[in-house]
Amino acid sequence: MDLFTTITVRIIKEQEIIIGPIALQEARKVKGLKIDTGSWKVSFIGDKKNIINDLVKQYSRLFGRASEDVCREAVRDLISDLPNQDIPTTLR
Amino acid sequence: MLERFRRDKKKGFIFLNKENSSFLNKVNQQLYSRNAELAVKNKNLSLLRNLYEITNSSLDKSTICSELTDAIRRSFNVELIGLFILEKEEGVLRLASLSLSERAKNVVKKQNNFLFSQDILLLDRKNVCYRSIKEERKVESSSLFNVWKPTGFSTELHNLHVSSNIKSAIIFPLINNHKTIGVLVISLNRSYKSFSKYERESIESVVNVITLALDKILLYEQLVTANRKLKELDTAKSEFISIASHQLRTPLTGIMGYLSMMVAGDFGKIEPTQLKILNDVYGASNRLIRIVNIFLNVSRIEAGRFYLDYKQVTFDSVVDEIIMELKPTASKKGIKLVIDPSIKSIGQVTVDPDKMKDVTLNLVDNAIKYSQSGTITVSAKKEGGNVHCFVHDEGVGIDPEEAKRLFSKFVRGTGIARVQPNGSGLGLFIAKKVVEEHTGKIWVESEGEGKGSTFQFTIPIKPTKEQIELQAKIASKVSKQKAQAAKDISPEMAASQ
């Protein structure tokens, strides 16, 4: 599993703890993001960084700044391993 | 501009305007924030519960430390957790457990697992662990080099730094009751400042749990060590008593043998005055042998070499011989020694007759010793499948509180010690053991000092088949041990035994 996939899965799972099944429903609405819930297999169609940004904004639209903070904190250890230019802006 | 949604009973849409929509968004966001807070607290509580369960699941130091560090590392997604125990006198932090992320583990494995044998020497004041212990506070460092300073593994640590992207190390001293017992080292691929307020609070509470767990483990280890030393001392003491008693008994047996031959006139006629002296010496030697036998019996009991040799005898044969032996002693003190006719009515019993004679001897002998006048009565009755025997005296009596402890080793009643200062304090201990080996019970009743006492015991008239088999098994085991010991000892020692 590459780092972007791990980041995406971690964000959705963290949101799921707080808002329940809506987390997955909202994630499915993100353009370019395909999720297989059975195996938690995630695939991207397009720029992964942008797709992750869209995912974070999807939650932020509904639940505000707090949801952005949750996304950021959920993947802080993973983000630390990415070069600065590869970090999605919403997770900085 | 109004946004309208009709309530459709089939589809369930609701009618909203812009103001309501904004209000609902705010409510959503507030609810989300509360939920997020609860989720964090819940996560923290789950971790603490997990740690407590680990602490209570075992007393093994290695298992507990390993599971604790793994649980913490997984929960906070850190690269390395090291738990160290402070050995103050040696000036070293001994590694108790190390938990590594997968990538850190791979690097360390490739370098001969160097970190797993790395205690921390507290020689360098710049060592962050040294500082943390000295200042009794959390200390942060950007590098693992400062944790293991001075170290001979600079290259290996550098490789670990690079491959695990280590950016910081935080050292927490583990302090309980104003005493530092160790440190917890956490190494991350980010700075500690990047942790949220909740995460930092969570780590602080985890440190407290670790401290208590480690304290408990160390205390248990001390208890185990102390217990082991006590057992060794106890074994050594029993062995000493056994050897000393054997060494004493052999010459004593020789002395008594010659004395009895002299008294019998085997070496020529003995004058009456000489006879009296010889009889006194013989009596003293007999008492000495009895004491040595008591010590031997105690050492046999403690070494698990004590067993019963069951025989069918009449109950009065167990008692009569003892009474005959002790009657002169009782008469000298003006004490009447009486065998109640109930003794004869008991009939046949299956017991170890020699050991039961010792019990009766001990009880009656004690009754004589601790009476200055009056009558001592030995009686018995049948109770179901048991014999209930009584030895009643009109002597010094026993305080009821002391009566409870009288059958323990080296315990003598205070009143008793005043009347008869000499005594091993072991006779009743052995009597209790003999009676209990017969699956019986022994006890004393007394109304208090100066009011006499009644020692009583009950034993089965006939042991069960299982009981007989058990004693036979012990006897066989002891016999084998003796045979083995005989092969191992020198001829000189064999002769002396």
Side-chain angles (χ1 to χ4, degrees), chain B residues 290 297 308 311 313-323 325-326 349 351-365 378 391 427 430-431 434-435 438 457 459:
Chain B
R290 214 175 276 163
N297 278 334
L308 301 179
K311 288 188 176 91
V313 295
T314 54
F315 188 71
D316 60 301
S317 70
V318 170
V319 175
D320 283 353
E321 198 185 301
I322 303 304
I323 301 296
E325 189 185 317
L326 293 175
V349 291
V351 296
D352 182 327
D354 291 336
K355 291 191 175 70
M356 283 313 300
K357 279 179 192 167
D358 282 344
V359 171
T360 321
L361 173 71
N362 184 270
L363 297 183
V364 177
D365 193 40
V378 184
V391 177
I430 294 169
V434 169
V435 167
H438 281 87
F457 65 82
I459 51 169

Coordinates of all heavy atoms in Angstrom, one line a residue, chain B residues 290 297 308 311 313-323 325-326 349 351-365 378 391 427 430-431 434-435 438 457 459:
Chain B
R290 N 16.2 -38.7 73.3 CA 14.8 -38.3 73.0 C 14.8 -36.9 72.3 O 14.1 -36.7 71.3 CB 13.9 -38.3 74.2 CG 12.5 -38.7 74.0 CD 11.7 -38.8 75.3 NE 11.9 -40.1 75.9 CZ 11.6 -40.3 77.2 NH1 11.1 -39.3 77.9 NH2 11.8 -41.5 77.7
N297 N 13.1 -35.9 63.9 CA 11.8 -36.0 63.3 C 11.4 -34.7 62.7 O 10.7 -34.7 61.6 CB 10.8 -36.3 64.5 CG 10.7 -37.8 64.8 OD1 11.0 -38.6 63.9 ND2 10.4 -38.2 66.0
L308 N 4.1 -42.8 57.8 CA 3.5 -43.7 58.8 C 3.7 -45.2 58.4 O 3.6 -45.5 57.3 CB 2.0 -43.5 59.0 CG 1.6 -42.0 59.4 CD1 0.1 -41.9 59.5 CD2 2.3 -41.6 60.7
K311 N 0.2 -50.4 61.5 CA 0.1 -51.8 62.1 C -1.2 -51.9 62.9 O -1.7 -50.9 63.4 CB 1.3 -52.0 63.0 CG 2.6 -52.2 62.3 CD 3.7 -52.7 63.3 CE 5.0 -52.9 62.5 NZ 5.9 -51.7 62.5
V313 N -2.9 -52.8 66.1 CA -2.6 -53.0 67.5 C -3.8 -52.7 68.4 O -4.8 -52.1 67.9 CB -1.4 -52.1 68.0 CG1 -0.1 -52.4 67.2 CG2 -1.7 -50.6 67.8
T314 N -3.7 -53.0 69.7 CA -4.8 -52.5 70.6 C -4.5 -51.1 71.1 O -3.3 -50.8 71.3 CB -5.0 -53.5 71.8 OG1 -3.7 -53.6 72.4 CG2 -5.4 -54.9 71.4
F315 N -5.5 -50.3 71.2 CA -5.2 -48.9 71.6 C -4.6 -48.8 73.0 O -3.7 -48.0 73.2 CB -6.5 -48.1 71.6 CG -6.3 -46.6 71.8 CD1 -5.8 -45.9 70.8 CD2 -6.6 -46.0 73.0 CE1 -5.5 -44.5 70.9 CE2 -6.4 -44.6 73.1 CZ -5.9 -43.9 72.1
D316 N -4.9 -49.7 73.9 CA -4.4 -49.6 75.2 C -2.9 -50.0 75.2 O -2.1 -49.5 76.1 CB -5.1 -50.5 76.2 CG -5.2 -52.0 75.8 OD1 -5.7 -52.3 74.7 OD2 -4.7 -52.8 76.6
S317 N -2.4 -50.8 74.2 CA -1.0 -51.1 74.1 C -0.2 -49.8 73.8 O 1.0 -49.7 74.2 CB -0.7 -52.2 73.1 OG -0.9 -51.7 71.8
V318 N -0.8 -48.9 73.1 CA -0.2 -47.6 72.7 C 0.0 -46.8 74.0 O 1.0 -46.1 74.1 CB -1.0 -46.9 71.7 CG1 -0.5 -45.5 71.4 CG2 -1.0 -47.6 70.3
V319 N -0.9 -46.9 74.9 CA -1.0 -46.0 76.0 C -0.3 -46.6 77.2 O 0.5 -45.9 77.9 CB -2.4 -45.6 76.4 CG1 -2.5 -44.8 77.7 CG2 -3.1 -44.9 75.3
D320 N -0.5 -47.9 77.5 CA 0.0 -48.6 78.7 C 1.5 -48.4 78.9 O 2.0 -48.1 80.0 CB -0.4 -50.1 78.7 CG -1.9 -50.3 79.0 OD1 -2.5 -49.3 79.4 OD2 -2.4 -51.4 78.9
E321 N 2.2 -48.7 77.9 CA 3.7 -48.7 77.9 C 4.2 -47.4 78.4 O 5.1 -47.3 79.2 CB 4.2 -49.0 76.6 CG 5.7 -49.5 76.5 CD 6.2 -49.7 75.1 OE1 5.6 -50.5 74.4 OE2 7.1 -49.0 74.7
I322 N 3.6 -46.3 77.9 CA 4.0 -44.9 78.2 C 3.7 -44.6 79.7 O 4.5 -44.0 80.4 CB 3.3 -43.9 77.3 CG1 3.6 -44.2 75.8 CG2 3.7 -42.5 77.6 CD1 5.1 -44.3 75.4
I323 N 2.5 -45.0 80.1 CA 2.1 -44.7 81.5 C 3.1 -45.4 82.4 O 3.5 -44.8 83.4 CB 0.7 -45.2 81.7 CG1 -0.3 -44.5 80.7 CG2 0.3 -45.0 83.1 CD1 -0.4 -43.0 80.9
E325 N 6.1 -46.3 81.9 CA 7.4 -45.6 81.9 C 7.4 -44.3 82.7 O 8.4 -44.0 83.3 CB 7.8 -45.3 80.4 CG 9.2 -44.8 80.2 CD 9.4 -44.4 78.7 OE1 9.0 -45.1 77.8 OE2 10.1 -43.3 78.5
L326 N 6.3 -43.6 82.7 CA 6.3 -42.2 83.3 C 5.8 -42.3 84.7 O 5.9 -41.3 85.4 CB 5.4 -41.3 82.4 CG 6.0 -41.0 81.0 CD1 5.0 -40.1 80.2 CD2 7.3 -40.2 81.2
V349 N -7.0 -50.9 66.8 CA -6.8 -49.7 65.9 C -5.7 -50.0 64.9 O -4.8 -50.8 65.2 CB -6.5 -48.4 66.7 CG1 -7.7 -48.0 67.6 CG2 -5.3 -48.6 67.5
V351 N -2.8 -48.0 63.3 CA -2.0 -46.8 63.4 C -0.6 -47.1 63.2 O -0.2 -48.3 63.1 CB -2.2 -46.1 64.8 CG1 -3.7 -45.7 65.0 CG2 -1.8 -47.0 65.9
D352 N 0.3 -46.1 63.3 CA 1.7 -46.3 63.4 C 2.0 -46.3 64.9 O 2.0 -45.2 65.5 CB 2.5 -45.1 62.7 CG 4.0 -45.3 62.8 OD1 4.5 -45.9 63.8 OD2 4.7 -44.9 61.8
P353 N 2.2 -47.4 65.5 CA 2.2 -47.5 67.0 C 3.3 -46.8 67.6 O 3.2 -46.1 68.6 CB 2.3 -49.0 67.3 CG 2.7 -49.6 66.0 CD 2.3 -48.8 64.9
D354 N 4.5 -46.8 67.0 CA 5.7 -46.1 67.5 C 5.4 -44.6 67.6 O 5.7 -43.9 68.6 CB 6.9 -46.4 66.7 CG 7.4 -47.8 66.8 OD1 7.0 -48.4 67.9 OD2 8.1 -48.3 65.9
K355 N 4.9 -44.1 66.5 CA 4.7 -42.6 66.5 C 3.5 -42.2 67.4 O 3.6 -41.2 68.0 CB 4.4 -42.2 65.0 CG 5.6 -42.3 64.2 CD 5.5 -41.6 62.8 CE 6.8 -41.6 62.1 NZ 7.2 -43.0 61.6
M356 N 2.5 -43.0 67.5 CA 1.4 -42.7 68.4 C 1.8 -42.8 69.9 O 1.4 -42.0 70.7 CB 0.2 -43.6 68.2 CG -0.6 -43.3 66.9 SD -1.1 -41.5 66.8 CE -2.0 -41.2 68.2
K357 N 2.8 -43.7 70.1 CA 3.4 -43.8 71.5 C 4.1 -42.5 71.8 O 4.0 -42.0 72.9 CB 4.3 -45.0 71.6 CG 3.7 -46.3 71.8 CD 4.7 -47.4 71.9 CE 3.9 -48.8 71.9 NZ 4.8 -49.9 71.6
D358 N 4.8 -42.0 70.8 CA 5.5 -40.7 71.0 C 4.5 -39.6 71.3 O 4.8 -38.7 72.1 CB 6.3 -40.3 69.7 CG 7.6 -41.1 69.5 OD1 8.0 -41.7 70.5 OD2 8.1 -41.1 68.4
V359 N 3.4 -39.6 70.6 CA 2.3 -38.6 70.9 C 1.9 -38.6 72.3 O 1.8 -37.7 73.0 CB 1.1 -38.7 69.9 CG1 0.0 -37.8 70.3 CG2 1.6 -38.4 68.5
T360 N 1.5 -39.9 72.7 CA 1.0 -40.1 74.1 C 2.1 -39.7 75.1 O 1.8 -39.0 76.1 CB 0.6 -41.5 74.3 OG1 -0.1 -42.0 73.1 CG2 -0.3 -41.7 75.5
L361 N 3.3 -40.1 74.8 CA 4.4 -39.8 75.7 C 4.6 -38.3 75.9 O 4.7 -37.8 77.0 CB 5.7 -40.4 75.1 CG 7.0 -40.0 75.8 CD1 7.1 -40.7 77.2 CD2 8.2 -40.4 75.0
N362 N 4.5 -37.6 74.7 CA 4.7 -36.1 74.8 C 3.6 -35.5 75.6 O 3.8 -34.6 76.5 CB 4.7 -35.6 73.4 CG 4.9 -34.1 73.3 OD1 4.0 -33.3 73.4 ND2 6.2 -33.7 73.3
L363 N 2.3 -35.9 75.4 CA 1.2 -35.3 76.1 C 1.2 -35.6 77.6 O 1.1 -34.7 78.5 CB -0.1 -35.8 75.5 CG -0.4 -35.4 74.1 CD1 -1.8 -35.9 73.6 CD2 -0.3 -33.9 73.8
V364 N 1.5 -36.8 77.9 CA 1.5 -37.2 79.4 C 2.8 -36.6 80.0 O 2.7 -36.1 81.2 CB 1.5 -38.8 79.5 CG1 1.6 -39.2 81.0 CG2 0.2 -39.3 78.9
D365 N 3.9 -36.6 79.4 CA 5.1 -36.1 79.9 C 5.0 -34.6 80.2 O 5.4 -34.1 81.2 CB 6.3 -36.3 78.9 CG 7.6 -36.0 79.5 OD1 7.8 -36.3 80.7 OD2 8.5 -35.4 78.8
V378 N -5.7 -40.3 81.8 CA -5.8 -40.6 80.3 C -7.0 -41.4 80.0 O -7.2 -42.5 80.6 CB -4.5 -41.3 79.9 CG1 -4.5 -41.5 78.4 CG2 -3.2 -40.6 80.3
V391 N -6.1 -36.3 77.6 CA -5.1 -36.3 78.6 C -5.4 -35.0 79.5 O -5.1 -33.9 79.1 CB -3.7 -36.2 78.0 CG1 -2.6 -36.2 79.2 CG2 -3.4 -37.4 77.2
G427 N 7.9 -30.7 70.7 CA 7.1 -31.9 71.0 C 5.7 -31.8 70.5 O 5.3 -32.8 69.8
I430 N 5.5 -31.9 66.6 CA 5.6 -33.2 66.1 C 4.3 -34.0 66.4 O 3.9 -34.8 65.5 CB 6.8 -34.0 66.7 CG1 8.1 -33.2 66.2 CG2 6.9 -35.4 66.2 CD1 9.4 -33.7 66.9
A431 N 3.8 -33.9 67.6 CA 2.6 -34.6 67.9 C 1.5 -34.2 66.9 O 0.7 -35.1 66.4 CB 2.1 -34.3 69.3
V434 N 2.1 -35.9 63.6 CA 1.8 -37.4 63.6 C 0.2 -37.6 63.5 O -0.3 -38.4 62.7 CB 2.3 -38.0 64.9 CG1 1.8 -39.4 65.0 CG2 3.8 -38.0 64.8
V435 N -0.5 -36.8 64.3 CA -1.9 -37.0 64.4 C -2.5 -36.6 63.0 O -3.4 -37.3 62.5 CB -2.5 -36.1 65.5 CG1 -4.0 -36.0 65.4 CG2 -2.2 -36.7 66.9
H438 N -2.2 -39.1 60.4 CA -3.2 -40.1 60.6 C -4.6 -39.6 60.2 O -5.6 -40.3 60.4 CB -3.3 -40.5 62.1 CG -2.2 -41.5 62.5 ND1 -1.0 -41.1 62.9 CD2 -2.2 -42.9 62.5 CE1 -0.2 -42.2 63.2 NE2 -1.0 -43.2 63.0
F457 N -7.0 -35.6 71.2 CA -6.8 -35.8 69.8 C -7.8 -36.9 69.3 O -8.3 -37.7 70.1 CB -5.3 -36.2 69.5 CG -4.9 -37.5 70.0 CD1 -5.2 -38.8 69.4 CD2 -4.1 -37.6 71.2 CE1 -4.8 -40.0 69.9 CE2 -3.7 -38.8 71.7 CZ -4.0 -40.0 71.1
I459 N -8.3 -39.7 66.1 CA -7.7 -40.3 64.9 C -8.7 -41.4 64.4 O -9.4 -42.0 65.2 CB -6.3 -41.0 65.2 CG1 -6.4 -41.9 66.4 CG2 -5.2 -39.9 65.3 CD1 -5.1 -42.7 66.6

